[in-house]
Amino acid sequence: MSTTGATADPLAALGSLPGVAESVESVRKAVDRVYGHRIMRRRSNEITSEAALRGARGSGALSGADWALEEVRRRTDFSGDDEARVMGAALRLTAEAGQLLSIWRQSPLRVLARLHLVAAASDADEVGRPRRNGEPVDEPLIELPLPDADEVSGRLEGLSQLIIAGSSAPALVTAAVVHGELIALRPFASHNGLVARAAERIVLIGSGLDPKSVCAAEVGHAELGRAAYLAALDGYVSGTPEGMAAWIAHCGRAVELGARESTAVCEALQRGAA
């Protein structure tokens, strides 16, 4: 996404794209249904914890670790192989995201660096900083053109300025742009997909749309499938109004599905309490 141009608030301008207002309204209704559930008034912490687990499972699936939920719940060691390390990173990021809200509003780049550090769980030189020219990127499931380090630096700074300045754009629009931009740039040497989805989560929580973090978009992204995810990302990277609107709508549908999942959890808890 270009962060320059005649529009003072480019994120808000995206909100006027065809179909985006409808996506925003549909997401709001889905979120309201979860928050209006009577179980949420008494057991919201349980719903938040379950949504975090399911969100991590969904994000891990999109990065190549497509595990059953019960396997994620059962495992305690996430160091055995590549898939286990991916799932471990997803779980750590989900736990970390809620701790970074106040820093995100002031210094998004600092938060992104922290997210990469948490995901990589390594003290290697390339961890926790944007990649430099010539450094490889380990993101095998994303085959989009890879911007060079100078473009990454400029666009990250532009994205940071937009977040710090604030926007009148709906939370869904901001979250979708943050997610899409980070995948398009792949600013780190690894774990970019996991970091992008964690950043999307931070925006949705911090905006007030989903303050208890019970509408895990990662669940929806995984349910919609990797092929649909990559196709929607192609639309974002194209930069066309149609492509951007399609990506925002895709992210909106993912949030709705995450909300539906938590509504089902509420229903299950209610049946158990009856």
Side-chain angles (χ1 to χ4, degrees):
M1 174 191 175
S2 172
T3 56
T4 60
T7 305
D9 188 350
L11 293 176
L14 293 176
S16 64
L17 291 174
V20 170
E22 291 82 355
S23 292
V24 168
E25 180 61 21
S26 186
V27 165
R28 169 54 66 189
K29 289 178 179 177
V31 173
D32 285 348
R33 278 194 293 273
V34 181
Y35 279 83
H37 200 287
R38 69 184 225 176
I39 288 292
M40 277 292 294
R41 293 193 290 272
R42 295 186 284 117
R43 302 174 70 175
S44 64
N45 288 343
E46 292 176 66
I47 309 302
T48 296
S49 295
E50 187 64 20
L53 184 73
R54 295 179 185 221
R57 193 218 72 82
S59 192
L62 289 169
S63 287
D66 193 1
W67 289 12
L69 179 63
E70 291 312 312
E71 176 68 5
V72 181
R73 202 188 302 278
R74 180 187 67 81
R75 288 284 285 268
T76 56
D77 179 10
F78 294 93
S79 61
D81 55 29
D82 287 346
E83 285 194 10
R85 285 189 286 273
V86 166
M87 191 57 68
L91 288 163
R92 291 192 299 274
L93 285 173
T94 301
E96 187 78 7
Q99 311 302 313
L100 299 171
L101 296 175
S102 60
I103 304 172
W104 174 259
R105 299 184 187 102
Q106 300 168 6
S107 182
L109 298 185
R110 182 178 162 197
V111 169
L112 293 175
R114 173 64 184 169
L115 290 174
H116 187 242
L117 187 66
V118 168
S122 164
D123 59 1
D125 173 67
E126 70 273 12
V127 171
R129 63 161 175 81
R131 57 186 167 83
R132 299 169 183 148
N133 279 322
E135 289 183 332
V137 174
D138 181 14
E139 206 75 39
L141 301 178
I142 304 294
E143 298 180 352
L144 298 168
L146 189 67
D148 65 27
D150 292 336
E151 182 179 351
V152 168
S153 177
R155 286 172 63 175
L156 278 179
E157 183 59 35
L159 183 65
S160 175
Q161 290 173 5
L162 285 177
I163 293 165
I164 292 169
S167 172
S168 62
L172 171 63
V173 172
T174 303
V177 167
V178 167
H179 183 169
E181 192 72 354
L182 291 174
I183 293 282
L185 295 177
R186 277 146 292 159
F188 300 110
S190 62
H191 299 91
N192 290 286
L194 294 174
V195 167
R197 292 184 288 276
E200 179 184 43
R201 172 182 284 267
I202 288 172
V203 174
L204 293 171
I205 300 169
S207 67
L209 176 65
D210 182 21
K212 294 184 183 294
S213 192
V214 297
C215 303
E218 305 97 320
V219 168
H221 286 303
E223 185 172 335
L224 291 167
R226 189 180 299 155
Y229 184 69
L230 296 177
L233 279 169
D234 282 342
Y236 178 86
V237 172
S238 76
T240 65
E242 297 80 9
M244 296 292 288
W247 169 246
I248 294 168
H250 183 87
C251 290
R253 183 61 180 148
V255 176
E256 289 181 54
L257 291 170
R260 187 181 72 179
E261 183 97 347
S262 285
T263 301
V265 172
C266 287
E267 293 292 336
L269 288 174
Q270 183 168 282
R271 288 193 298 272

